[in-house]
Amino acid sequence: MIIVMRAGASLPQIDGVREHVERFGVRSHVARDGFRTIIACLGESDALTESSVATLPAVESVTRWRTPYRLASRQLASHGATTVVRIGDGAGASVGGPALAVIAGPCSVEGREMLLETARGVGRAGAGALRGGAFKPRTSPYAFQGLGLDALRWLAEVRRETGLPVVTEALDPRQVELVAEHVDVLQVGARNMQNFPLLAEVGRIRRPVLLKRGLSATVTELLLAAEYVLARGNPDVILCERGIRTFESATRNTLDIAAIPVLRGETHLPVIVDPSHAGGRADLVAPLAYAAIAAGADGLIVEVHPRPATALSDGDQSLSLAGFRELMRGLAPFATAAGRTLASPPVGREAAA
Ligand code: PEP
Ligand code: MN
């Protein structure tokens, strides 16, 4: 049940409604929608009737949830606004506002120098944040697993040196605190989308969470995974479409373009797209990225490596620094057509990159 209070409802009136629903064992959550207060009822009780709520003072309307997710639901933001998730301290970057958010960097952090070189290159080309894996979820136990704590330290150092906020994955609930001490955004990878203890743990921290859609997860399952994070008290969730597994083998995954407008209608959370893991090939990154922006995505996360041929993971799908500059140049007309802006690279420095 969603309860919309009249504009100007007083605090005691809002509390009165909350106390009423909580007497039925239903948790209540207060959200703002423009000038109005919305009380979202989390959980159900057959004994709690709509009419018993509708007659309470200052209640404007009572509606049933259309969806199993609640805090993630677009119904909590009926004015159509997308939640803006700020990443990094100070100026930082944001996801969900008018400017497209572009996060770029290597699949894995392979060393301090390569990370700094990549950060400088992508920053000059207009990226708003740096990505880089420290703990890697690899299909084979014999494949490169990431450099762990060293990589986290380099991410923090490169953030200090370049000012770019950094994004990295936490694989395990026990890593969450350590990862959160070093980076600005915690990624929950596709393979962990339904790792419920991990979702609960990232729900407790004060850092935005980049939640990637599982390889075989439906949009509803993705939004229910986001709900776990939101329900634990972390409101800053960024969703990521990164391709799903289908019968098609020409690409690593199948980018579900339709998921972007579907998510837009279902949730107020911002949505970005990962064209690198979707296509699995560097030559597919630009067309998939442009399609994602045209379909309404709030940004991109792209794998970039200074020397893709020698990358320790996902070299085939990584753009070189020159390739990333090319991607960003080609992105501009799509951003404009979609009514979005793109951070412009610092004048004069790009040529020196
Ligand atoms: C990654 O971002 O490097 C990654 C492993 O992504 P995904 O979880 O989408 O496969
Ligand atoms: Mn990767």
Side-chain angles (χ1 to χ4, degrees):
M1 182 181 293
I2 305 177
I3 305 158
V4 178
M5 302 297 290
R6 284 200 201 103
S10 68
L11 206 54
Q13 286 169 328
I14 294 166
D15 285 345
V17 173
R18 297 187 75 179
E19 280 160 22
H20 176 76
V21 302
E22 284 176 9
R23 272 202 289 278
F24 293 87
V26 170
R27 198 176 132 198
S28 69
H29 171 92
V30 172
R32 301 288 305 173
D33 185 27
F35 292 109
R36 297 180 311 175
T37 297
I38 297 184
I39 301 172
C41 298
L42 311 176
E44 306 280 348
S45 160
D46 289 342
L48 176 63
T49 61
E50 280 167 57
S51 55
S52 75
V53 177
T55 49
L56 294 173
V59 170
E60 183 173 293
S61 66
V62 182
T63 38
R64 291 258 154 216
W65 291 105
R66 280 189 289 107
T67 55
Y69 34 88
R70 308 278 144 100
L71 299 173
S73 172
R74 167 69 71 198
Q75 281 181 278
L76 272 194
S78 59
H79 284 92
T82 295
T83 292
V84 178
V85 175
R86 294 199 49 76
I87 57 181
D89 316 319
S94 48
V95 189
L100 293 178
V102 180
I103 303 165
C107 177
S108 305
V109 174
E110 297 173 10
R112 189 185 183 284
E113 289 317 307
M114 71 76 73
L115 187 65
L116 186 58
E117 183 183 357
T118 313
R120 289 192 169 133
V122 299
R124 283 173 186 143
L130 176 71
R131 63 150 287 150
F135 300 101
K136 295 304 302 178
R138 303 308 299 280
T139 302
S140 164
Y142 308 117
F144 175 62
Q145 304 284 311
L147 296 177
L149 185 56
D150 284 340
L152 289 180
R153 291 194 175 123
W154 292 324
L155 282 162
E157 274 175 42
V158 168
R159 187 232 275 124
R160 275 195 297 278
E161 270 181 60
T162 62
L164 283 178
V166 296
V167 182
T168 203
E169 177 165 353
L171 283 179
D172 184 302
R174 291 165 296 186
Q175 290 168 347
V176 167
E177 214 158 296
L178 177 72
V179 172
E181 279 167 23
H182 289 82
V183 305
D184 302 283
V185 179
L186 273 79
Q187 177 172 318
V188 173
R191 290 155 192 81
N192 267 320
M193 191 203 81
Q194 285 187 319
N195 179 337
F196 299 114
L198 180 62
L199 295 173
E201 200 58 24
V202 297
R204 290 196 316 109
I205 56 160
R206 297 271 149 261
R207 289 264 185 275
V209 174
L210 173 57
L211 178 62
K212 299 188 92 175
R213 181 178 179 183
L215 277 71
S216 61
T218 64
V219 164
T220 298
E221 287 164 343
L222 171 62
L223 289 170
L224 283 168
E227 189 79 14
Y228 269 87
V229 180
L230 300 170
R232 286 293 172 131
N234 188 343
D236 293 324
V237 178
I238 303 159
L239 302 171
C240 181
E241 161 60 36
R242 45 77 75 208
I244 50 175
R245 186 159 284 181
T246 70
F247 55 82
E248 180 56 73
S249 57
T251 49
R252 184 173 179 183
N253 292 287
T254 297
L255 180 61
D256 184 6
I257 284 286
I260 303 161
V262 168
L263 284 165
R264 179 69 72 229
E266 289 297 303
T267 181
H268 55 89
L269 297 173
V271 180
I272 67 169
V273 166
D274 176 345
S276 310
H277 289 87
R281 278 169 30 192
D283 63 312
L284 296 179
V285 170
L288 296 181
Y290 302 157
I293 299 309
D298 295 300
L300 301 168
I301 180 165
V302 181
E303 286 187 339
V304 179
H305 192 288
R307 287 158 291 279
T310 67
L312 296 181
S313 59
D314 285 349
D316 291 348
Q317 67 193 36
S318 298
L319 296 180
S320 64
L321 291 171
F324 182 69
R325 287 197 292 273
E326 196 56 40
L327 170 80
M328 294 300 280
R329 270 195 285 272
L331 196 57
F334 290 93
T336 307
R340 313 297 287 255
T341 57
L342 207 51
S344 40
V347 179
R349 283 169 57 200
E350 197 191 359

